[in-house]
Amino acid sequence: MMRQQIGELISEALAMFIIIAFGDSVACMYVLYDPSPYQNAYWGVCIAWGLAVTIAIYATGSISGTHANPAVTLALALFRDFPWKKVVPYWIAQVIGAFLGAAIVYALFGPVIDHFNQAHQLTREAGGAAGVFFTHPGLAISPMHALSDQVILTAFLLFGIFAITEQYNEMAPGANSGALIIGLLVATIGACMGYLEAWAINPARDFGPRLFAYLAGWGPSALPGPDNYWWVPIVGPFIGGVVGAGAYQLLVHPFLPARQRALAEARQAKVATSNDLL
């Protein structure tokens, strides 16, 4: 049992490692190069993040379920009987994986980051190129507005994940294609709302790379960040995940025809068993 639990934690760390290694790398491609290959093709950035999620799920889903997001882990514990004793270990593994993913991105793009900062007369301490690692408010967005955005965006994410993975949803994707649809969901959120504050929608996705950047020379520009922003991509997704998952459980789950049939069959079986005992 202990070996399996360790495997689950490794799986969660590996999933986040994959997501950040590819996701922050495409952020580097978007930010650090002039002209950027994605400057007029932002959908490519979104697809790269989405496919990173898809790859992570295919690689690790059979071991841990690939939560790859503390907000997902919390929602599953609240609404789908995921063991509470595993919640905090999963969170820690997810942050570690994101931290290591950021380290790989730095190993790849470190010279390009330094060149970008030199060319633009920026320093790490001032936040130069920090946006390739973690999120920040976009045009006209205050930290408190970003908090509400993160609640809404993560609610969309968890509502979609619960729908895609619902066992009684007869319209859910089959034949192991759920991973692709979840990746497209992430890409769609980014394409529609990503410029608000870079669509963190995942506490580990932001905090792990932010912690790495803090240790790699970005210092207070990473933690606590301008306007003490560091907590927003943590608190917002946690709240939004509960809201989105709860909305699905309240508004959709009770009315699924397959669930209704399963409940009816269970009642009939219970009656039959009771009659046999008489």
Side-chain angles (χ1 to χ4, degrees):
M1 181 62 73
M2 181 60 68
R3 185 173 184 272
Q4 179 60 31
Q5 292 172 353
I6 292 173
E8 290 175 4
L9 298 180
I10 292 173
S11 173
E12 285 297 304
L14 181 58
M16 281 307 304
F17 174 85
I18 292 169
I19 291 169
I20 297 302
F22 285 109
D24 277 5
S25 287
V26 78
C28 288
M29 296 284 285
Y30 184 80
V31 171
L32 302 178
Y33 291 88
D34 187 16
S36 165
Y38 293 107
Q39 197 65 53
N40 296 312
Y42 173 65
W43 177 241
V45 175
C46 301
I47 282 292
W49 274 102
L51 287 178
V53 171
T54 295
I55 293 167
I57 295 172
Y58 280 135
T60 65
S62 63
I63 301 173
S64 68
T66 314
H67 300 185
N69 185 334
V72 171
T73 302
L74 177 61
L76 291 174
L78 284 170
F79 298 109
R80 291 197 174 171
D81 298 321
F82 182 73
W84 281 101
K85 66 181 181 180
K86 293 184 178 182
V87 169
V88 173
Y90 265 51
W91 288 352
I92 294 171
Q94 290 155 2
V95 171
I96 290 172
F99 181 97
L100 295 176
I104 286 295
V105 172
Y106 183 78
L108 291 168
F109 288 93
V112 186
I113 290 171
D114 291 339
H115 178 271
F116 175 89
N117 285 341
Q118 291 170 7
H120 293 83
Q121 297 183 329
L122 298 170
T123 65
R124 296 185 185 186
E125 293 80 1
V132 304
F133 291 110
F134 50 85
T135 66
H136 54 83
L139 177 66
I141 301 297
S142 68
M144 292 310 297
H145 186 89
L147 178 64
S148 65
D149 289 344
Q150 285 300 298
V151 171
I152 295 169
L153 269 61
T154 312
F156 279 129
L157 175 69
L158 265 294
F159 187 94
I161 289 174
F162 267 46
I164 292 165
T165 60
E166 170 59 56
Q167 63 173 322
Y168 294 121
N169 183 5
E170 295 169 305
M171 295 303 295
N176 296 322
S177 60
L180 178 60
I181 304 304
I182 291 174
L184 288 174
L185 171 62
V186 171
T188 300
I189 292 171
C192 297
M193 307 158 187
Y195 265 33
L196 290 169
E197 58 278 325
W199 94 105
I201 58 176
N202 181 337
R205 173 269 173 273
D206 190 86
F207 185 71
R210 189 181 291 272
L211 180 59
F212 172 82
Y214 173 81
L215 296 174
W218 277 267
S221 65
L223 279 171
D227 298 320
N228 290 302
Y229 183 77
W230 69 274
W231 62 273
V232 172
I234 297 174
V235 174
F238 273 131
I239 297 173
V242 173
V243 171
Y248 181 84
Q249 293 297 108
L250 177 66
L251 301 175
V252 178
H253 183 260
F255 309 107
L256 292 167
R259 179 176 179 272
Q260 301 278 359
R261 292 194 298 270
L263 290 174
E265 291 170 1
R267 285 193 295 268
Q268 291 173 1
K270 184 177 180 180
V271 171
T273 301
S274 298
N275 291 336
D276 290 341
L277 294 174
L278 294 177

